[in-house]
Amino acid sequence: MRGALSTVWFDRHQISRDAPEHLESVDAMCRALAGVIQDEVDAGVPKNRMVIGGFSMGGAMALHLACRYHPEVAGVFALSAFLNKDSVVYKAVEERARVGGGLPDLLQCHGASDELVLHGWGEETAALLQKAGMTSATFRSFRGLQHQLCGPEMELLRSWVLDKLPALPPPSDP
């Protein structure tokens, strides 16, 4: 923030839902991550067999990447994450829903005791995404959890990913 050196996904003007998005840095990271996705596609993995997700800023980055640029992925997850109130992600979801374009399924989880990324911010993000047209969205709260992960959350995520990416049948012999 404010030009300070740090290792984060993108710049923020401040950690607040009310701050404007720093789209220049968000979009630069989206372009870099698009290369990773393209490498997977080139290796034979179709986008509908990919899930994109992350924790905290990584979750926000995943929402930008999946909803704005790669809606063909099987799913997106955001753990202890939020989007700014006027995020362009909401507009992208609204536009895709308006034209009947597909959107990835969403799993969003948040610790109810998170003091860094407030639980209400995550909850409001999920509600605004659903209102914008992301109908296949799930929001789960974890009582007592702060800005961290927990075993039950990871088990929920594991089950959700396996549901989105079921095992493929073995290849048949020629």
Side-chain angles (χ1 to χ4, degrees):
M1 290 192 317
R2 298 186 189 113
L5 289 178
S6 62
T7 304
V8 294
W9 285 103
F10 54 89
D11 290 334
R12 284 194 187 277
H13 296 286
Q14 60 184 184
I15 301 174
S16 169
R17 292 209 9 92
D18 298 320
E21 290 180 308
H22 197 291
L23 282 179
E24 182 181 328
S25 66
V26 170
D27 289 343
M29 185 55 68
C30 283
R31 286 188 298 275
L33 292 169
V36 175
I37 292 171
Q38 189 58 51
D39 288 346
E40 292 301 313
V41 169
D42 293 346
V45 180
K47 285 187 184 180
N48 67 356
R49 295 285 301 165
M50 294 181 197
V51 170
I52 298 172
F55 175 81
S56 196
M57 287 184 81
M61 186 78 254
L63 289 168
H64 275 275
L65 191 61
C67 296
R68 294 175 59 208
Y69 298 105
H70 301 280
E72 312 88 354
V73 297
V76 58
F77 66 88
L79 311 176
S80 297
F82 75 98
L83 293 171
N84 298 61
K85 281 185 180 177
D86 62 352
S87 177
V88 296
V89 173
Y90 303 127
K91 294 171 188 70
V93 169
E94 284 176 355
E95 181 60 21
R96 287 203 58 84
R98 186 183 68 73
V99 299
L103 288 161
D105 291 350
L106 168 65
L107 174 65
Q108 193 173 348
C109 300
H110 212 104
S113 299
D114 193 334
E115 294 178 0
L116 178 63
V117 175
L118 300 179
H119 179 268
W121 296 353
E123 206 168 30
E124 186 177 357
T125 295
L128 289 172
L129 286 168
Q130 288 174 343
K131 181 180 176 186
M134 203 164 204
T135 56
S136 186
T138 301
F139 182 85
R140 289 285 305 272
S141 298
F142 288 85
R143 191 172 50 181
L145 189 65
Q146 296 182 17
H147 195 66
Q148 62 197 64
L149 304 171
C150 67
E153 183 181 23
M154 291 296 90
E155 184 53 40
L156 174 65
L157 176 60
R158 178 187 171 279
S159 297
W160 182 83
V161 168
L162 290 174
D163 181 60
K164 300 298 140 215
L165 304 175
L168 295 172
S172 57
D173 291 329

